Amino acid sequence: MPSEKVLLAKQQRVSELTELLKESAAGVLVDYKGITVEEDTKLRRDLREAGVEYFVEKNSLLRFALTNCGLEGITDVLSGATAIALSKEDQTAPARVLGKFAESKKDKFNLKAGFIGTEVYDEKGVMALSKIPSREILLAQL
């Protein structure tokens, strides 16, 4: 059984994740296993430029945080190596950047699921979201 100190640290991390998820407009979960450090560095740079926060988190802690936010439908994909990308403003930015990267790294990098607000999307839904242009491009086209 974990010590009280470890348990408190995990509870605090879950509450931090819950707040981060509640503040986010959208998020995408990915399986990043198999990409190189160089590829990961480029991906993180692209995500940062798009205003997306990207990090690796333990599945058990993510499961608690997602459940706290009412996103229980997404917890069934939490197995193996999981990273999460969150955007506070642009609802399609995480899917757009990660979808483009996943297409170039077919067997190494897989989209698991995503969400916009409280709406949960499977892998195909996230890939469809990745095809939507950014808000700025849509306004320019209009």
Side-chain angles (χ1 to χ4, degrees), residues 18 21-22 24 26-27 29 62-76 78 84 86 114-121:
T18 301
L21 288 167
K22 285 180 180 177
S24 298
L29 298 171
L62 264 178
R63 185 173 288 111
F64 284 120
L66 289 165
T67 302
N68 291 346
C69 293
L71 295 166
E72 295 89 5
I74 205 169
T75 58
D76 57 334
L78 293 176
I84 185 167
L86 300 170
F115 65 91
I116 294 178
T118 57
E119 186 72 29
V120 175
Y121 298 92

Side-chain angles (χ1 to χ4, degrees), residues 23 27 35-36 40 45 91:
E23 294 171 357
I35 63 172
T36 65
D40 187 54
R45 186 178 334 109
Q91 295 180 335

Side-chain angles (χ1 to χ4, degrees), residues 20-97:
L20 197 57
L21 288 167
K22 285 180 180 177
E23 294 171 357
S24 298
V28 175
L29 298 171
V30 297
D31 180 357
Y32 62 90
K33 191 170 73 176
I35 63 172
T36 65
V37 173
E38 185 179 311
E39 293 167 335
D40 187 54
T41 302
K42 182 187 180 317
L43 174 64
R44 287 176 185 266
R45 186 178 334 109
D46 293 345
L47 288 165
R48 214 176 6 259
E49 288 171 1
V52 177
E53 187 173 349
Y54 177 79
F55 56 94
V56 175
E57 191 59 65
K58 287 186 170 202
N59 288 328
S60 57
L61 300 181
L62 264 178
R63 185 173 288 111
F64 284 120
L66 289 165
T67 302
N68 291 346
C69 293
L71 295 166
E72 295 89 5
I74 205 169
T75 58
D76 57 334
V77 299
L78 293 176
S79 62
T82 303
I84 185 167
L86 300 170
S87 175
K88 292 185 179 182
E89 284 125 31
D90 190 346
Q91 295 180 335
T92 60
R96 201 172 47 252
V97 175

Side-chain angles (χ1 to χ4, degrees), residues 117-135:
T118 57
E119 186 72 29
V120 175
Y121 298 92
D122 63 359
E123 179 184 353
K124 290 178 183 164
V126 174
M127 196 51 102
L129 285 172
S130 73
K131 306 294 185 213
I132 298 173
S134 69
R135 182 176 188 273

